[in-house]
Amino acid sequence: MTQSRGWAAQNATTPLAPFKFSRRELHDHDVLVDIQFCGVCHSDIHFVRNEWGNAIYPVVPGHEIVGRVAAVGSAVTRFKPGDHVGVGVIVDSCRTCPSCKSGQEQYCDVGATLTYGVRDRYGDLTQGGYSNNIVVHDHFVHTISPRLSAAGVAPLLCAGITTYSPMRHWKVGPNKKVGVVGLGGLGHMALKFAHAFGAHVVQFTTSESKIDDAKRLGADEVVLSKDPTAMKKQASTFDFILDTVSAPHDLNPYLEALKRDATYAQVGLPDQPPVINMGHLLFKRRAISGSIIGGMAETQQMLDFCAEKNLVADVEVIPIQQIAEAFERVVKAQVKYRFVIDMASLAA
Ligand code: NAP
Ligand code: ZN
Ligand code: ZN
């Protein structure tokens, strides 16, 4: 067994605290990764606070992992010790169903194995990246360009792929007007990608203090979503809108902003369902859809795209000892724009 150290939640209400646990011995296809940085995703907070009702404790959260390969199993050919690698939201899937075979492991028909908080195929409880190391099947390990800042890359493994994948799927590009709702971890990556893909991008935000940042990050226009007049001006003009908001909010003004036949894609996962005025869907044949992370091949494509464009997340690097304060700031929408934990702080 590999001995591991991390910070875990023992229940929904007490703060994360130091925790020792073990990870499995390396199987033939396994990679042992020494973790350097791990991003703080709002999903970590939803999960450890049991806001989705599916938490299992103890849980070490974290699924935006970057580090260096420490050891590999006998059948691993893609990686060797010292390589710069990343691990995201899933660490296994059946690999035989139609979704897995078509490279959409995140939609595995029997359910992909999440990086933390579920039982894996060996019966072990998976534990995430707020820790010093992780053991992962090589199919779920990604190559990271050593030219990019490792801390800035970490959020690409969830926030990055979660926004890249739907934008590719719904063909965001030149001559398309695209909206991003919410400027947080996912939102700021969505903005960077939509801009990089050549779309006309409109950032919707509730935070006046983020307007200048939104422009710097690539927004062609910024709309304060609390202003009904500004929202009305956008009516029936969007080809696509991506909603990254973590809390319940009114979708109806955004649905009205879509053109005929356009799609509203949800990637944020609030703990309460929205109330939809069906008229907004019927009269212009608009669609609401959703998307979750991305497949393994697409995740590597996204990382390669980011390496080519020198595109990473805007991060605030923190020691693990500041995680409670970081969670509070994320919930208050005050992070600019992703906390990333420096795992060297585990030794402190
Ligand atoms: P985040 O950094 O907290 O960003 C969420 C943003 O939503 C905030 O910055 C804020 O933006 C806006 N917001 C927050 N509360 C709001 C409210 N009450 N009304 C309106 N807007 C509000 O969170 P994140 O890490 O980007 O994650 C966002 C959501 O995506 C979470 O629910 C998370 O679980 C989910 N998620 C889904 C996937 C997937 O695969 N689909 C992957 C990762 C995360 P402004 O200040 O600009 O308004
Ligand atoms: Zn995430
Ligand atoms: Zn499958």
Side-chain angles (χ1 to χ4, degrees):
M1 304 288 263
T2 302
Q3 291 309 307
S4 303
R5 286 175 297 116
W7 278 43
Q10 297 289 344
N11 55 56
T13 50
T14 45
L16 302 194
F19 177 65
K20 286 192 175 141
F21 59 106
S22 51
R23 299 197 185 267
R24 66 172 180 263
E25 290 289 351
L26 295 199
H27 293 273
D28 292 354
H29 271 282
D30 281 344
V31 178
L32 173 66
V33 180
D34 280 341
I35 301 174
Q36 294 175 299
F37 294 99
C38 185
V40 177
C41 179
H42 205 121
S43 300
D44 301 345
I45 303 173
H46 289 309
F47 191 90
V48 304
R49 296 186 175 177
N50 202 20
E51 290 169 359
W52 293 328
N54 61 346
I56 306 181
Y57 302 97
V59 60
V60 176
H63 57 208
E64 294 184 336
I65 298 166
V66 294
R68 304 287 281 267
V69 173
V72 295
S74 58
V76 175
T77 53
R78 274 202 306 142
F79 302 105
K80 58 179 188 319
D83 284 354
H84 296 250
V85 293
V87 176
V89 176
I90 61 176
V91 288
D92 204 356
S93 70
C94 82
R95 282 171 257 144
T96 56
C97 75
S99 296
C100 284
K101 283 199 161 151
S102 65
Q104 311 274 324
E105 298 89 342
Q106 73 277 33
Y107 301 116
C108 175
D109 297 358
V110 297
T113 305
L114 300 174
T115 302
Y116 60 80
V118 299
R119 295 264 162 213
D120 64 19
R121 64 171 73 210
Y122 308 103
D124 297 333
L125 195 53
T126 58
Q127 301 290 7
Y130 295 9
S131 60
N132 62 332
N133 58 28
I134 190 164
V135 175
V136 184
H137 187 284
D138 63 349
H139 185 69
F140 299 86
V141 178
H142 308 286
T143 299
I144 303 286
S145 165
R147 284 183 288 112
L148 295 176
S149 128
V153 166
L156 301 180
L157 277 306
C158 175
I161 186 60
T162 299
T163 50
Y164 180 96
S165 180
M167 289 207 187
R168 287 298 198 208
H169 182 77
W170 278 285
K171 303 193 170 24
V172 166
N175 306 315
K176 295 279 175 76
K177 184 175 173 185
V178 171
V180 175
V181 186
L183 187 52
L186 267 56
H188 94 292
M189 289 311 307
L191 187 47
K192 288 186 185 208
F193 284 132
H195 179 71
F197 296 165
H200 179 91
V201 200
V202 180
Q203 178 69 49
F204 294 97
T205 180
T206 60
S207 306
E208 244 174 298
S209 63
K210 295 180 184 172
I211 292 175
D212 290 344
D213 277 348
K215 289 180 182 155
R216 174 180 60 81
L217 292 163
D220 297 289
E221 295 175 54
V222 185
V223 174
L224 271 179
S225 50
K226 292 182 283 197
D227 175 353
T229 315
M231 291 297 285
K232 282 262 179 256
K233 275 193 195 148
Q234 301 290 333
S236 303
T237 59
F238 283 85
D239 296 286
F240 178 68
I241 298 180
L242 190 70
D243 185 328
T244 73
V245 174
S246 51
H249 57 289
D250 186 7
L251 302 196
N252 293 295
Y254 299 106
L255 296 175
E256 283 186 278
L258 293 173
K259 285 180 183 168
R260 174 173 53 77
D261 286 327
T263 295
Y264 193 79
Q266 191 67 44
V267 285
L269 188 52
D271 59 359
Q272 298 295 322
V275 175
I276 305 289
N277 176 344
M278 295 303 168
H280 296 326
L281 303 182
L282 272 56
F283 287 101
K284 286 194 188 285
R285 206 164 47 194
R286 296 159 171 141
I288 300 182
S289 190
S291 181
I292 194 154
I293 50 168
M296 297 305 100
E298 191 175 41
T299 302
Q300 190 62 57
Q301 256 173 41
M302 178 271 311
L303 289 165
D304 296 345
F305 177 86
C306 290
E308 189 193 313
K309 303 277 178 197
N310 200 22
L311 197 159
V312 291
D314 285 27
V315 299
E316 291 190 46
V317 177
I318 54 162
I320 186 78
Q321 290 78 8
Q322 285 176 19
I323 194 64
E325 191 188 326
F327 274 17
E328 288 315 313
R329 279 188 50 207
V330 172
V331 170
K332 289 182 186 150
Q334 287 172 354
V335 55
K336 295 195 168 177
Y337 280 91
R338 197 58 140 187
F339 286 114
V340 172
I341 307 163
D342 181 350
M343 284 306 155
S345 62
L346 268 179

